[in-house]
Amino acid sequence: MTGSDATSPAARLAAIRSRIAEAARAAGRAAGDVTLVAVSKTFGVDEIVPLIEAGQRIFGENRVQEATAKWPALKARFPDLELHLIGPLQTNKLDDALGLFDAFHTLDREKLALALVKARDRGLRLPRLFVQVNTGEEPQKAGIAPADTDGFLVRCRDDWALSIEGLMCIPPLDEEPALHFALLEKLARRNGLAKLSMGMSGDFEKAIAFGATHVRVGSALFGARS
Ligand SMILES: *Cc1c(COP(=O)(O)O)cnc(C)c1O
């Protein structure tokens, strides 16, 4: 295969970037408003490196252990990479995660907020933080309930001095995602938060129409996960 093959990593990246730019333009926004987080979970270094070489710099992983096996060497080789945690974090893995990730999209409970405060008190540097909202109020899904989000954000600011950049959601599989994107945008706006992590391979253009600043795209870039 050559670099011009439609299925090459570089071609897939270019196609996603142009769809992001087009969705932003259609929404009256600048393409540069939207950050592409390439979700590399389950894919190996051999599949990740071609995307880095094609210019992608921001990647997302959902498991600390898997990320620890893949990313330290890549970060040493490509010092301008950014790694975002997009999956639930157990507090006993917090120190490992702090050493590796530049942003957490999944601040989803008080216990994790308190662990972050303790880590900061121990002198560790905190990443950029998004609060995950369980917009569908699904019992099996992590996140702060919509009705509790304003209060949680107040506690982040006033009780814990945690600076929150934005909100993140994963809409229920069987529901129209637009309702969830609209709800997340409303919660962010009324709390003065500028960033919205929402939209995946199947719905990132819709998410951009509702204000997404970070789209998390995996399979459309890497192919189907086994
Ligand atoms: C896996 C995952 C994605 C990417 O999903 P695709 O449908 O493959 O684009 C995005 N966000 C989260 C939280 C994920 O776990």
Side-chain angles (χ1 to χ4, degrees):
M1 287 203 209
T2 70
S4 63
D5 190 292
T7 64
S8 76
R12 284 199 295 263
L13 178 61
I16 296 295
R17 283 197 178 150
S18 78
R19 284 171 61 189
I20 288 172
E22 176 55 28
R25 192 203 58 74
R29 307 175 54 200
D33 277 2
V34 183
T35 298
L36 171 61
V37 180
V39 176
S40 49
K41 66 185 184 197
T42 79
F43 291 99
V45 168
D46 290 352
E47 290 149 301
I48 294 170
V49 166
L51 276 190
I52 299 173
E53 286 173 341
Q56 180 63 24
R57 285 295 177 273
I58 304 174
F59 289 84
E61 290 278 349
N62 67 336
R63 303 175 73 149
V64 176
Q65 204 172 345
E66 180 185 345
T68 304
K70 282 151 63 173
W71 286 94
L74 287 169
K75 280 191 143 188
R77 192 168 149 200
F78 303 98
D80 57 341
L81 290 178
E82 236 183 65
L83 197 58
H84 291 212
L85 179 67
I86 61 164
L89 179 59
Q90 294 166 257
T91 49
N92 64 3
K93 301 238 174 70
L94 176 60
D95 283 14
D96 291 340
L98 289 172
L100 195 57
F101 290 96
D102 304 288
F104 290 178
H105 291 226
T106 48
L107 172 50
D108 58 0
R109 62 201 192 281
E110 171 170 340
K111 186 179 179 196
L112 181 54
L114 293 172
L116 285 164
V117 169
K118 278 199 186 138
R120 184 182 56 204
D121 290 347
R122 285 185 283 124
L124 299 178
R125 202 174 64 83
L126 299 192
R128 308 206 306 276
L129 296 172
F130 291 73
V131 168
Q132 180 174 358
V133 181
N134 187 355
T135 57
E137 303 186 64
E138 297 171 278
Q140 82 285 7
K141 204 167 266 176
I144 306 291
D148 299 334
T149 299
D150 296 350
F152 186 77
L153 290 168
V154 167
R155 299 195 68 194
C156 284
R157 190 189 61 214
D158 295 347
D159 295 353
W160 305 321
L162 290 173
S163 151
I164 305 299
E165 213 164 86
L167 301 181
M168 176 271 211
C169 76
I170 309 170
L173 278 176
D174 55 353
E175 285 183 31
E176 169 53 49
L179 301 172
H180 297 272
F181 298 154
L183 172 58
L184 199 71
E185 192 276 335
K186 188 176 92 178
L187 290 169
R189 185 156 30 87
R190 79 172 179 224
N191 284 285
L193 298 177
K195 306 289 185 189
L196 287 167
S197 169
M198 58 188 196
M200 320 201 300
S201 289
D203 55 20
F204 67 86
E205 286 143 316
K206 194 172 275 177
I208 289 168
F210 282 91
T213 61
H214 291 68
V215 293
R216 309 179 308 265
V217 178
S219 46
L221 276 172
F222 286 97
R225 286 182 294 274
S226 49

